[in-house]
Amino acid sequence: MQRITILGATGSIGQNTLAVVGLHPERYQVFALTAHSRLEELAKLCQQYQPCYAVIQHEQDISKLQALLGQSSTEILAGEQALAWVAAHEQCDTVMAAIVGAAGLLPTLAAVKAGKRVLLANKESLVMAGQVFMQAVIDHNATLLPIDSEHNAIFQCLPNNYQQGLSKVGVERILLTASGGPFREFSAEQLQKVTPEQACKHPNWVMGRKISVDSATLMNKGLEFIEACWLFDAKPSQVQVVIHPQSIIHSLVQYIDGSTLAQLGNPDMRTPIANALAYPERIQAGVSALDLCQHQLQFYPPDEQRFPCLGLARQAMQAGGTAPAILNAANEVAVAAFLNEELPFVAISQLIDTVLTQLPMSSAHNLDTILQADQQARALAQQKISLFSN
Ligand code: NDP
Ligand code: MG
């Protein structure tokens, strides 16, 4: 029996994880569920899955959640330290890291440092702190399994011994697929006028609002580019982004002998979640089999003129140090401002570019430096919003 903590249980990944877990009560038990402020959703999940602990953001909400839960054996905790505590608890074996944004870094790292089996959806933590994070995985003998559909696909296409080094196992290149998002065919002029509602309507996936906007700007692919470099110890030159609008091939690996291996499936996050939960076994995910005759697959290169975020992410990865943390923080501020209708869509990349240009980067060997860079980038981005606002 695996006991699971789900960080970000009320979100899109959290709920998909519970859907898979619920199919296999003989294998999985829910140890802790966490949320930020959606108390009613969390209460429902607690009633259904009876975790030992529920964690929320604010102390003052504990009594509200208690009232929603009524008679219950679930103990309620609050605050950042409680998130890290349930992630590192000795009675928990597996942690699904599915908080959105930089807020996921410390609890995810706590799980890594406790040597857990960590299922990583929160790509922002790797983007911010790749080197510190991957070193902690090694030092604490944690098991890191990718949930992002592309990275899970790459993981499935790599040989078991890929950690020896990609070139040693004959890998030439990783092909990271991208749907292109809802504005894939929009002209530069059309992009000027797009709204948060349009940006959050992804053609193939139903996701949280932040990652939906990231998909629309292609920053999601930029973050995934950085994520792939860290997860698979790939050089930036070994990762190539390919637009594939149907989201049926979730990514590919090319080998030096001319072979290209791909993982295919209907676009449904329950597949990578089930893969990582049960790895190296296979379990039912509740996802229907792919009917290839229903699909025509297309591929083409991304247009970095219309979608500059991808290039910004690549540059940040090449610059190294705190640059990816600065990129991530500026992006979080820009996306929140766009969702609040304070910043036009096309200004998201302009704001990030400004922050990356104006903030000096430094080496990122420790967490304090990274968190400081994150704070500085947020403050600068916030200060610059008015330059670009509607
Ligand atoms: P959602 O916005 O749907 O859910 C986010 C979760 O995090 C919620 O449970 C939310 O709680 C919680 N949360 C938000 N802010 C905080 C905070 N400051 N402190 C603690 N908890 C917080 O996001 P998604 O599920 O879409 O995405 C989660 C992560 O997974 C992201 O990093 C994303 O990039 C990644 N991912 C998502 C995919 C998808 O298909 N959705 C695919 C691949 C990766 P509350 O509900 O109370 O606000
Ligand atoms: Mg993805």
Side-chain angles (χ1 to χ4, degrees):
M1 182 68 81
Q2 270 189 58
R3 279 164 302 182
I4 304 183
T5 286
I6 303 180
L7 301 171
T10 45
S12 159
I13 293 290
Q15 306 235 24
N16 275 310
T17 305
L18 286 166
V20 178
V21 163
L23 293 176
H24 305 279
E26 73 298 347
R27 293 182 72 111
Y28 306 110
Q29 199 180 327
V30 179
F31 175 71
L33 296 178
T34 88
H36 184 251
S37 44
R38 279 188 278 181
L39 303 184
E40 284 175 15
E41 280 82 351
L42 183 62
K44 279 191 208 133
L45 297 176
C46 289
Q47 274 150 358
Q48 197 174 348
Y49 295 95
Q50 305 283 328
C52 300
Y53 296 97
V55 183
I56 51 177
Q57 182 75 7
H58 304 293
E59 290 268 345
Q60 65 267 29
D61 287 339
I62 291 183
S63 53
K64 275 190 225 157
L65 181 59
Q66 193 73 66
L68 287 167
L69 278 182
Q71 278 287 346
S72 159
S73 58
T74 301
E75 190 174 328
I76 306 170
L77 308 172
E80 275 171 31
Q81 285 185 348
L83 288 175
W85 188 78
V86 293
H89 199 286
E90 60 176 15
Q91 283 173 30
C92 142
D93 312 297
T94 299
V95 175
M96 167 56 82
I99 289 175
V100 60
L105 175 60
L106 295 179
T108 306
L109 211 48
V112 168
K113 288 184 177 167
K116 303 295 181 198
R117 184 178 169 101
V118 179
L119 316 187
L120 185 73
N122 175 239
K123 63 193 89 182
E124 294 91 343
S125 52
L126 255 193
V127 169
M128 291 173 73
Q131 192 178 349
V132 168
F133 194 104
M134 294 310 288
Q135 191 58 49
V137 170
I138 296 167
D139 292 347
H140 300 274
N141 206 15
T143 304
L144 186 63
L145 294 161
I147 291 299
D148 220 333
S149 57
E150 296 78 2
H151 304 74
N152 185 267
I154 295 161
F155 177 69
Q156 293 194 50
C157 296
L158 285 170
N160 288 338
N161 59 347
Y162 76 87
Q163 274 151 337
Q164 291 176 11
L166 292 184
S167 13
K168 283 219 177 92
V169 299
V171 171
E172 185 152 288
R173 193 177 294 114
I174 287 170
L175 300 180
L176 189 65
T177 55
S179 69
F183 309 139
R184 181 171 49 89
E185 292 186 324
F186 278 39
S187 66
E189 200 183 31
Q190 284 173 302
L191 285 177
Q192 306 271 355
K193 300 190 201 95
V194 299
T195 64
E197 262 5 273
Q198 287 173 295
C200 288
K201 265 204 205 104
H202 195 278
N204 307 335
W205 303 93
V206 181
M207 309 181 286
R209 283 167 76 79
K210 190 258 178 184
I211 184 176
S212 296
V213 177
D214 286 347
S215 299
T217 59
L218 286 203
M219 180 55 94
N220 183 49
K221 214 45 57 180
L223 300 177
E224 290 184 357
F225 174 88
I226 299 173
E227 184 186 14
C229 290
W230 286 115
L231 276 176
F232 306 115
D233 196 15
K235 297 190 203 84
S237 59
Q238 286 177 303
V239 184
Q240 187 186 333
V241 174
V242 183
I243 303 290
H244 164 47
Q246 294 78 21
S247 300
I248 294 295
I249 294 189
H250 299 302
S251 277
L252 314 89
V253 176
Q254 286 189 326
Y255 289 85
I256 47 174
D257 62 2
S259 301
T260 300
L261 301 193
Q263 187 260 356
L264 289 76
N266 289 319
D268 189 318
M269 288 309 294
R270 289 174 299 174
T271 295
I273 290 168
N275 175 266
L277 271 172
Y279 179 82
E281 292 175 58
R282 297 269 179 182
I283 55 169
Q284 288 281 352
V287 178
S288 54
L290 178 64
D291 180 356
L292 266 183
C293 298
Q294 297 295 320
H295 300 280
Q296 293 203 331
L297 307 184
Q298 298 166 301
F299 306 92
Y300 47 88
D303 177 351
E304 293 191 17
Q305 297 284 325
R306 278 180 307 141
F307 299 101
C309 285
L310 185 54
L312 291 173
R314 191 182 305 102
Q315 283 164 29
M317 186 63 198
Q318 274 156 349
T322 52
I326 294 171
L327 169 100
N328 179 68
N331 181 55
E332 287 190 26
V333 172
V335 170
F338 168 68
L339 286 170
N340 259 339
E341 300 187 16
E342 290 158 17
L343 194 72
F345 181 80
V346 289
I348 295 176
S349 62
Q350 294 164 356
L351 181 61
I352 299 166
D353 196 2
T354 304
V355 174
L356 271 173
T357 313
Q358 294 192 9
L359 261 192
M361 53 153 280
S362 58
S363 70
H365 295 303
N366 67 63
L367 207 52
D368 287 344
T369 322
I370 295 163
L371 295 175
Q372 202 183 351
D374 172 86
Q375 288 306 316
Q376 284 173 340
R378 278 169 205 276
L380 185 61
Q382 209 67 57
Q383 193 190 320
K384 298 283 175 188
I385 284 178
S386 57
L387 291 180
F388 302 102
S389 51
N390 287 321

